[in-house]
mmCIF file of all heavy atoms in Angstrom:
data_model
loop_
_atom_site.group_PDB
_atom_site.id
_atom_site.type_symbol
_atom_site.label_atom_id
_atom_site.label_comp_id
_atom_site.label_asym_id
_atom_site.label_seq_id
_atom_site.Cartn_x
_atom_site.Cartn_y
_atom_site.Cartn_z
ATOM 1 N N ARG A 28 146.272 57.783 126.581
ATOM 2 C CA ARG A 28 145.817 59.164 126.642
ATOM 3 C C ARG A 28 145.411 59.662 125.255
ATOM 4 O O ARG A 28 144.457 60.437 125.113
ATOM 5 C CB ARG A 28 146.910 60.048 127.238
ATOM 6 C CG ARG A 28 147.159 59.758 128.710
ATOM 7 C CD ARG A 28 148.295 60.591 129.262
ATOM 8 N NE ARG A 28 147.949 62.014 129.296
ATOM 9 C CZ ARG A 28 148.764 62.945 129.780
ATOM 10 N NH1 ARG A 28 149.965 62.602 130.239
ATOM 11 N NH2 ARG A 28 148.393 64.202 129.804
ATOM 12 N N SER A 29 146.149 59.224 124.239
ATOM 13 C CA SER A 29 145.824 59.648 122.865
ATOM 14 C C SER A 29 144.441 59.166 122.465
ATOM 15 O O SER A 29 143.656 59.890 121.851
ATOM 16 C CB SER A 29 146.876 59.118 121.888
ATOM 17 O OG SER A 29 148.118 59.739 122.093
ATOM 18 N N VAL A 30 144.148 57.903 122.838
ATOM 19 C CA VAL A 30 142.824 57.368 122.516
ATOM 20 C C VAL A 30 141.745 58.174 123.220
ATOM 21 O O VAL A 30 140.703 58.526 122.642
ATOM 22 C CB VAL A 30 142.745 55.878 122.913
ATOM 23 C CG1 VAL A 30 141.300 55.383 122.829
ATOM 24 C CG2 VAL A 30 143.645 55.039 122.031
ATOM 25 N N LYS A 31 142.002 58.489 124.501
ATOM 26 C CA LYS A 31 141.027 59.286 125.252
ATOM 27 C C LYS A 31 140.898 60.686 124.658
ATOM 28 O O LYS A 31 139.791 61.224 124.537
ATOM 29 C CB LYS A 31 141.446 59.371 126.722
ATOM 30 C CG LYS A 31 141.315 58.048 127.476
ATOM 31 C CD LYS A 31 141.705 58.220 128.939
ATOM 32 C CE LYS A 31 141.545 56.920 129.708
ATOM 33 N NZ LYS A 31 141.944 57.037 131.130
ATOM 34 N N TYR A 32 142.080 61.286 124.306
ATOM 35 C CA TYR A 32 142.051 62.617 123.697
ATOM 36 C C TYR A 32 141.262 62.607 122.391
ATOM 37 O O TYR A 32 140.441 63.484 122.128
ATOM 38 C CB TYR A 32 143.469 63.112 123.425
ATOM 39 C CG TYR A 32 144.205 63.614 124.647
ATOM 40 C CD1 TYR A 32 145.604 63.568 124.717
ATOM 41 C CD2 TYR A 32 143.514 64.125 125.751
ATOM 42 C CE1 TYR A 32 146.284 64.024 125.842
ATOM 43 C CE2 TYR A 32 144.184 64.586 126.875
ATOM 44 C CZ TYR A 32 145.566 64.519 126.914
ATOM 45 O OH TYR A 32 146.239 64.967 128.019
ATOM 46 N N GLU A 33 141.576 61.576 121.572
ATOM 47 C CA GLU A 33 140.899 61.505 120.270
ATOM 48 C C GLU A 33 139.391 61.329 120.441
ATOM 49 O O GLU A 33 138.591 61.924 119.716
ATOM 50 C CB GLU A 33 141.478 60.351 119.449
ATOM 51 C CG GLU A 33 142.881 60.631 118.915
ATOM 52 C CD GLU A 33 143.508 59.416 118.246
ATOM 53 O OE1 GLU A 33 142.821 58.361 118.216
ATOM 54 O OE2 GLU A 33 144.652 59.525 117.785
ATOM 55 N N ALA A 34 139.029 60.473 121.422
ATOM 56 C CA ALA A 34 137.592 60.277 121.677
ATOM 57 C C ALA A 34 136.958 61.573 122.168
ATOM 58 O O ALA A 34 135.861 61.959 121.718
ATOM 59 C CB ALA A 34 137.390 59.162 122.711
ATOM 60 N N ARG A 35 137.668 62.254 123.081
ATOM 61 C CA ARG A 35 137.132 63.518 123.610
ATOM 62 C C ARG A 35 137.079 64.589 122.534
ATOM 63 O O ARG A 35 136.088 65.339 122.437
ATOM 64 C CB ARG A 35 138.005 63.983 124.789
ATOM 65 C CG ARG A 35 137.539 65.277 125.443
ATOM 66 C CD ARG A 35 136.125 65.183 125.909
ATOM 67 N NE ARG A 35 135.689 66.430 126.521
ATOM 68 C CZ ARG A 35 134.426 66.776 126.685
ATOM 69 N NH1 ARG A 35 133.454 65.955 126.262
ATOM 70 N NH2 ARG A 35 134.116 67.915 127.271
ATOM 71 N N ILE A 36 138.144 64.645 121.730
ATOM 72 C CA ILE A 36 138.167 65.632 120.629
ATOM 73 C C ILE A 36 137.052 65.348 119.633
ATOM 74 O O ILE A 36 136.391 66.257 119.124
ATOM 75 C CB ILE A 36 139.553 65.638 119.943
ATOM 76 C CG1 ILE A 36 140.593 66.276 120.876
ATOM 77 C CG2 ILE A 36 139.501 66.400 118.626
ATOM 78 C CD1 ILE A 36 142.022 66.165 120.366
ATOM 79 N N ALA A 37 136.816 64.036 119.370
ATOM 80 C CA ALA A 37 135.724 63.673 118.459
ATOM 81 C C ALA A 37 134.379 64.126 119.014
ATOM 82 O O ALA A 37 133.521 64.648 118.283
ATOM 83 C CB ALA A 37 135.724 62.161 118.226
ATOM 84 N N GLU A 38 134.208 63.926 120.339
ATOM 85 C CA GLU A 38 132.961 64.383 120.976
ATOM 86 C C GLU A 38 132.821 65.898 120.866
ATOM 87 O O GLU A 38 131.743 66.419 120.554
ATOM 88 C CB GLU A 38 132.953 63.972 122.455
ATOM 89 C CG GLU A 38 132.809 62.478 122.686
ATOM 90 C CD GLU A 38 132.892 62.127 124.171
ATOM 91 O OE1 GLU A 38 133.005 63.072 124.986
ATOM 92 O OE2 GLU A 38 132.850 60.930 124.505
ATOM 93 N N LEU A 39 133.955 66.576 121.139
ATOM 94 C CA LEU A 39 133.919 68.041 121.083
ATOM 95 C C LEU A 39 133.664 68.531 119.660
ATOM 96 O O LEU A 39 132.940 69.510 119.454
ATOM 97 C CB LEU A 39 135.235 68.620 121.621
ATOM 98 C CG LEU A 39 135.463 68.445 123.132
ATOM 99 C CD1 LEU A 39 136.869 68.907 123.507
ATOM 100 C CD2 LEU A 39 134.429 69.229 123.929
ATOM 101 N N ARG A 40 134.268 67.856 118.680
ATOM 102 C CA ARG A 40 134.045 68.261 117.283
ATOM 103 C C ARG A 40 132.593 68.033 116.873
ATOM 104 O O ARG A 40 132.017 68.833 116.135
ATOM 105 C CB ARG A 40 134.985 67.501 116.345
ATOM 106 C CG ARG A 40 136.443 67.905 116.484
ATOM 107 C CD ARG A 40 137.299 67.346 115.350
ATOM 108 N NE ARG A 40 138.705 67.593 115.573
ATOM 109 C CZ ARG A 40 139.321 68.749 115.359
ATOM 110 N NH1 ARG A 40 138.613 69.784 114.928
ATOM 111 N NH2 ARG A 40 140.617 68.885 115.591
ATOM 112 N N GLN A 41 132.021 66.930 117.377
ATOM 113 C CA GLN A 41 130.605 66.685 117.091
ATOM 114 C C GLN A 41 129.733 67.755 117.742
ATOM 115 O O GLN A 41 128.782 68.273 117.135
ATOM 116 C CB GLN A 41 130.193 65.297 117.603
ATOM 117 C CG GLN A 41 128.747 64.927 117.307
ATOM 118 C CD GLN A 41 128.437 64.911 115.821
ATOM 119 O OE1 GLN A 41 129.185 64.326 115.031
ATOM 120 N NE2 GLN A 41 127.339 65.557 115.420
ATOM 121 N N ALA A 42 130.081 68.095 118.996
ATOM 122 C CA ALA A 42 129.337 69.158 119.688
ATOM 123 C C ALA A 42 129.512 70.489 118.958
ATOM 124 O O ALA A 42 128.570 71.275 118.834
ATOM 125 C CB ALA A 42 129.811 69.287 121.134
ATOM 126 N N LEU A 43 130.740 70.724 118.457
ATOM 127 C CA LEU A 43 131.006 71.950 117.703
ATOM 128 C C LEU A 43 130.192 71.967 116.409
ATOM 129 O O LEU A 43 129.613 72.996 116.035
ATOM 130 C CB LEU A 43 132.496 72.062 117.396
ATOM 131 C CG LEU A 43 132.937 73.274 116.579
ATOM 132 C CD1 LEU A 43 132.600 74.573 117.324
ATOM 133 C CD2 LEU A 43 134.431 73.213 116.270
ATOM 134 N N SER A 44 130.141 70.801 115.740
ATOM 135 C CA SER A 44 129.355 70.702 114.503
ATOM 136 C C SER A 44 127.873 70.963 114.781
ATOM 137 O O SER A 44 127.202 71.690 114.029
ATOM 138 C CB SER A 44 129.542 69.314 113.885
ATOM 139 O OG SER A 44 128.724 69.163 112.738
ATOM 140 N N ASP A 45 127.379 70.382 115.888
ATOM 141 C CA ASP A 45 125.973 70.616 116.250
ATOM 142 C C ASP A 45 125.733 72.088 116.579
ATOM 143 O O ASP A 45 124.702 72.656 116.197
ATOM 144 C CB ASP A 45 125.600 69.749 117.462
ATOM 145 C CG ASP A 45 125.597 68.267 117.132
ATOM 146 O OD1 ASP A 45 125.540 67.926 115.937
ATOM 147 O OD2 ASP A 45 125.678 67.458 118.078
ATOM 148 N N ALA A 46 126.701 72.685 117.306
ATOM 149 C CA ALA A 46 126.556 74.099 117.657
ATOM 150 C C ALA A 46 126.563 74.979 116.405
ATOM 151 O O ALA A 46 125.794 75.930 116.285
ATOM 152 C CB ALA A 46 127.677 74.519 118.611
ATOM 153 N N GLU A 47 127.448 74.641 115.445
ATOM 154 C CA GLU A 47 127.497 75.412 114.194
ATOM 155 C C GLU A 47 126.204 75.252 113.395
ATOM 156 O O GLU A 47 125.698 76.220 112.811
ATOM 157 C CB GLU A 47 128.689 74.956 113.357
ATOM 158 C CG GLU A 47 130.037 75.409 113.924
ATOM 159 C CD GLU A 47 131.205 74.847 113.155
ATOM 160 O OE1 GLU A 47 131.013 73.832 112.441
ATOM 161 O OE2 GLU A 47 132.319 75.409 113.263
ATOM 162 N N LYS A 48 125.674 74.019 113.403
ATOM 163 C CA LYS A 48 124.404 73.779 112.709
ATOM 164 C C LYS A 48 123.276 74.575 113.355
ATOM 165 O O LYS A 48 122.480 75.247 112.677
ATOM 166 C CB LYS A 48 124.076 72.288 112.732
ATOM 167 C CG LYS A 48 122.765 71.944 112.052
ATOM 168 C CD LYS A 48 122.476 70.447 112.153
ATOM 169 C CE LYS A 48 121.126 70.117 111.540
ATOM 170 N NZ LYS A 48 120.800 68.674 111.685
ATOM 171 N N ASN A 49 123.215 74.519 114.696
ATOM 172 C CA ASN A 49 122.179 75.267 115.413
ATOM 173 C C ASN A 49 122.354 76.768 115.227
ATOM 174 O O ASN A 49 121.373 77.517 115.115
ATOM 175 C CB ASN A 49 122.219 74.927 116.904
ATOM 176 C CG ASN A 49 121.785 73.506 117.189
ATOM 177 O OD1 ASN A 49 121.019 72.922 116.421
ATOM 178 N ND2 ASN A 49 122.274 72.934 118.280
ATOM 179 N N LEU A 50 123.609 77.200 115.184
ATOM 180 C CA LEU A 50 123.885 78.620 114.979
ATOM 181 C C LEU A 50 123.425 79.058 113.597
ATOM 182 O O LEU A 50 122.841 80.138 113.430
ATOM 183 C CB LEU A 50 125.376 78.889 115.159
ATOM 184 C CG LEU A 50 125.829 80.342 115.051
ATOM 185 C CD1 LEU A 50 125.140 81.201 116.103
ATOM 186 C CD2 LEU A 50 127.354 80.443 115.202
ATOM 187 N N ALA A 51 123.684 78.202 112.585
ATOM 188 C CA ALA A 51 123.241 78.519 111.220
ATOM 189 C C ALA A 51 121.715 78.577 111.154
ATOM 190 O O ALA A 51 121.142 79.464 110.509
ATOM 191 C CB ALA A 51 123.780 77.476 110.239
ATOM 192 N N GLU A 52 121.055 77.623 111.846
ATOM 193 C CA GLU A 52 119.584 77.624 111.865
ATOM 194 C C GLU A 52 119.053 78.865 112.564
ATOM 195 O O GLU A 52 118.081 79.478 112.120
ATOM 196 C CB GLU A 52 119.078 76.366 112.567
ATOM 197 C CG GLU A 52 119.309 75.083 111.774
ATOM 198 C CD GLU A 52 118.890 73.849 112.552
ATOM 199 O OE1 GLU A 52 118.532 73.989 113.743
ATOM 200 O OE2 GLU A 52 118.920 72.741 111.966
ATOM 201 N N ALA A 53 119.704 79.237 113.674
ATOM 202 C CA ALA A 53 119.272 80.434 114.404
ATOM 203 C C ALA A 53 119.464 81.682 113.547
ATOM 204 O O ALA A 53 118.618 82.577 113.537
ATOM 205 C CB ALA A 53 120.050 80.564 115.713
#
Side-chain angles (χ1 to χ4, degrees):
R28 292 177 67 178
S29 292
V30 169
K31 290 182 179 179
Y32 283 153
E33 287 173 0
R35 181 56 180 160
I36 289 172
E38 290 177 3
L39 291 173
R40 291 192 187 281
Q41 182 60 48
L43 178 61
S44 176
D45 293 342
E47 288 175 340
K48 179 182 177 183
N49 292 334
L50 183 60
E52 290 176 354

